[in-house]
Amino acid sequence: MSNHTYQFPENFLWGGAIAANQAEGAYNQGGKGLSTQDVAPKGIMGPITEEPTEDNMKLIGIDLYHRYKEDVKLFAEMGFKVFRTSIAWSRIFPKGDELEPNEEGLQFYDDLFDECHKYGIEPLVTLSHYETPLHLSKEYDGWVNRKMVGFYERYVTAVFKRYKNKVKYWLTFNEINSILEAPFMSGGIYTPKEKLSKQDLYQAIHHEFVASASAVKLCHEIIPTAQIGCMMLSMPTYPLTPNPDDMIKVMEFEHSNYFFGDVHVRGRYPGYMKRYFRENGIEIQMEASDEEMLLNTVDFISFSYYMSICQTADPEKQIAGEGNLLGGVPNPYLPASEWGWQIDPQGLRYVLNMFYDRYQKPLFIVENGLGAVDELITGADGEKTVEDDYRIQYLNDHLVQVGEAIEDGVEIMGYTSWGCIDVVSASSAQLKKRYGYIYVDRHDDGSGTLERYRKKSFHWYKEVISSNGKSLQR
């Protein structure tokens, strides 16, 4: 251990992140309509149901809807400067295509944001986080339909006007590039993935780009002091071997992800995508004003980082990695989590440098964390806790690399680790895959008291924040 300390910026936004659909619960309260998550009891990969079913952990989540005061107080105890959450679109527009918003839904977020401000915590709000109103998915086939742009504009206008004095940081779509692998969850597309044409998929992506740019424009008009960013799933990709064929494979795969950042930051479609469209017979239907709208580019780039992957051109080596949302081949040099996610702290420094070199815009790490099975025990002080040294190690090692990237000259706004309080996992819809600093007593069979307990990592993160990163162990 060296005694080198990293110089995190004075105003660095330390905090944590959750999503409404994984935490709030109260799926049918306060006038909320059904969302796509209410019929996805098994997460990304599982089948969807006709109606909400009791085995869907997200219907109750961790009951943040009723317990947010207790939870925000715990975040404040850790010293959070920022709290990333999302607004459930179907709380504001229950079906998604109404003309007027639902007042009870608007009031809930007023109360939540007020509670944050009570402790000096800034909300960082995702406008659409994997929870399209179910009616928009079934009736319009989600983002495949151009009409979604107007519905989204109406929704974001309502929340910008309502929270213009309460929210300074906004994100348009969570992990927007995940639509490539999870079109229902990410894009509300009801057509089954195997029946979805590339034409339809990229047309849906175009609609999201136009909607995202429109949200940027509206945000700048309605809340001139606010900042609004895009949000991508980052997936640094290494060649499996130094064979140039593998390197070209890496380039093509990275293009498929950079595409989303390039449009958000540069305001136009890149040449490599135009080639892909030509070679795959894709013709994006654009309205006359779309190109001009896309020039409303984001103020910053935010992203999630969980793992890196490898690519190879050798068909015999094409072994899919367990749990890799965007495909890829496992790296023989890296360990993996219990869910098969490979652990690569240096990949975070690498991706921070890559994004910053490419875009020269501030970056915000809005998800990073370790999903693991935690055991609740009684600690030496008689309090229930979790000895999660494995999580501390993971987060410490990643934050050390954030420190390295800052020394590299990368401009980083903040860090919100994923699932700062245990939430229902998006990928597997389990609660046993825990991420938080705070243990929630709820289990996959539905049992539990919903009581909150501070894990060992809670006290560790509190020290990281109070020392502004100086307590990190290199």
Side-chain angles (χ1 to χ4, degrees):
M1 299 283 175
S2 83
N3 57 5
H4 175 90
T5 55
Y6 293 99
Q7 203 58 53
F8 282 77
E10 264 321 295
N11 54 353
F12 193 78
L13 293 167
W14 295 99
I18 61 165
N21 71 85
Q22 292 166 261
E24 283 177 9
Y27 81 101
N28 58 357
Q29 292 176 33
K32 180 183 174 292
L34 294 179
S35 86
T36 50
Q37 290 288 355
D38 296 324
V39 294
K42 297 290 172 247
I44 295 177
M45 305 308 174
I48 56 180
T49 55
E50 202 43 50
E51 293 293 322
T53 51
E54 231 167 72
D55 61 338
N56 188 338
M57 299 291 289
K58 287 166 285 196
L59 303 185
I60 295 173
I62 58 163
D63 197 30
L64 181 99
Y65 188 80
H66 296 107
R67 293 169 176 258
Y68 68 89
K69 288 188 176 177
E70 174 188 356
D71 294 337
V72 172
K73 189 178 180 188
L74 285 164
F75 302 152
E77 191 187 323
M78 275 187 278
F80 279 21
K81 310 275 190 275
V82 64
F83 171 50
R84 177 184 176 218
T85 189
S86 63
I87 292 175
W89 186 347
S90 63
R91 274 203 197 286
I92 311 302
F93 288 93
K95 289 169 73 177
D97 57 3
E98 298 94 339
L99 295 176
E100 293 302 323
N102 164 36
E103 176 56 33
E104 230 181 315
L106 288 167
Q107 187 59 49
F108 168 70
Y109 294 105
D110 262 324
D111 296 343
L112 174 62
F113 301 151
D114 286 347
E115 200 62 26
C116 290
H117 286 301
K118 195 167 111 182
Y119 299 100
I121 298 171
E122 289 292 346
L124 164 63
V125 177
T126 315
L127 290 160
S128 177
H129 192 131
Y130 290 171
E131 48 198 333
T132 309
L134 187 61
H135 174 75
L136 295 184
S137 179
K138 283 184 162 176
E139 192 67 24
Y140 301 93
D141 209 14
W143 283 98
V144 172
N145 194 315
R146 176 86 198 192
K147 287 184 175 156
M148 287 290 284
V149 178
F151 300 143
Y152 182 80
E153 286 173 338
R154 188 180 300 153
Y155 156 60
V156 303
T157 300
V159 297
F160 288 156
K161 285 183 171 168
R162 180 73 171 226
Y163 308 123
K164 64 175 185 284
N165 299 320
K166 297 186 183 185
V167 180
K168 292 182 187 172
Y169 304 102
W170 298 89
L171 306 176
T172 57
F173 290 96
N174 181 65
E175 293 185 331
I176 188 166
N177 48 326
S178 63
I179 192 172
L180 296 172
E181 295 298 322
F184 176 69
M185 189 171 79
S186 183
I189 299 171
Y190 208 72
T191 300
K193 185 180 170 184
E194 59 279 4
K195 293 187 180 156
L196 194 62
S197 69
K198 280 184 177 169
Q199 171 70 40
D200 282 342
L201 184 60
Y202 281 94
Q203 190 63 47
I205 289 167
H206 176 71
H207 295 152
E208 283 198 309
F209 283 150
V210 172
S212 187
S214 180
V216 170
K217 183 171 187 283
L218 287 162
C219 183
H220 288 159
E221 287 165 4
I222 298 167
I223 332 176
T225 53
Q227 289 181 279
I228 183 163
C230 58
M231 195 306 203
M232 297 185 296
L233 191 163
S234 78
M235 193 64 76
T237 309
Y238 310 148
L240 194 62
T241 73
N243 185 323
D245 288 347
D246 283 7
M247 201 61 222
I248 294 297
K249 196 85 177 162
V250 166
M251 182 185 82
E252 288 172 350
F253 180 81
E254 293 218 301
H255 276 163
S256 71
N257 283 321
Y258 276 135
F259 165 49
F260 292 84
D262 287 356
V263 175
H264 272 107
V265 177
R266 296 173 176 164
R268 60 181 185 273
Y269 277 75
Y272 60 79
M273 251 0 251
K274 291 178 181 173
R275 174 180 183 168
Y276 180 82
F277 293 162
R278 280 196 306 273
E279 292 179 356
N280 287 276
I282 297 166
E283 287 189 36
I284 302 293
Q285 303 302 307
M286 287 207 193
E287 289 192 1
S289 59
D290 286 0
E291 286 191 339
E292 197 182 337
M293 182 59 86
L294 291 178
L295 293 171
N296 291 283
T297 54
V298 292
D299 301 314
F300 64 95
I301 296 105
S302 76
F303 64 92
S304 62
Y305 175 74
Y306 293 100
M307 62 187 132
S308 59
I309 55 169
C310 292
Q311 288 288 349
T312 174
D314 183 346
E316 286 179 17
K317 293 181 184 160
Q318 292 281 4
I319 312 149
E322 233 189 307
N324 284 10
L325 185 62
L326 293 181
V329 178
N331 187 327
Y333 293 96
L334 293 175
S337 77
E338 293 166 83
W339 273 266
W341 292 23
Q342 292 200 289
I343 299 172
D344 177 17
Q346 286 171 287
L348 180 50
R349 177 186 178 188
Y350 174 75
V351 86
L352 283 161
N353 272 276
M354 287 296 130
F355 279 154
Y356 196 63
D357 287 350
R358 193 175 186 98
Y359 300 129
Q360 298 288 300
K361 290 242 181 189
L363 305 178
F364 206 140
I365 306 151
V366 295
E367 283 186 36
N368 168 239
L370 177 69
V373 176
D374 287 344
E375 187 192 350
L376 192 64
I377 58 160
T378 304
D381 57 0
E383 297 286 324
K384 287 187 175 173
T385 188
V386 175
E387 298 277 345
D388 56 344
D389 293 288
Y390 41 88
R391 183 170 291 112
I392 292 170
Q393 186 73 54
Y394 177 100
L395 293 164
N396 178 84
D397 294 352
H398 282 77
L399 282 168
V400 161
Q401 296 299 325
V402 176
E404 291 286 343
I406 289 168
E407 295 201 1
D408 293 332
V410 178
E411 190 182 347
I412 308 171
M413 294 166 68
Y415 174 87
T416 57
S417 59
W418 177 250
C420 47
I421 180 169
D422 291 344
V423 293
V424 181
S425 156
S427 56
S428 63
Q430 295 169 297
L431 242 163
K432 78 168 189 186
K433 184 183 184 184
R434 297 174 182 273
Y435 284 88
Y437 304 111
I438 300 160
Y439 183 95
V440 177
D441 183 29
R442 184 165 190 241
H443 307 279
D444 289 348
D445 62 3
S447 68
T449 61
L450 287 168
E451 281 299 299
R452 277 51 168 159
Y453 301 103
R454 297 166 185 81
K455 302 180 192 178
K456 187 176 180 180
S457 56
F458 179 100
H459 306 287
W460 169 83
Y461 196 45
K462 181 179 179 175
E463 193 183 342
V464 170
I465 297 173
S466 68
S467 71
N468 200 27
K470 288 192 170 59
S471 64
L472 294 166
Q473 298 292 312
R474 191 165 174 174

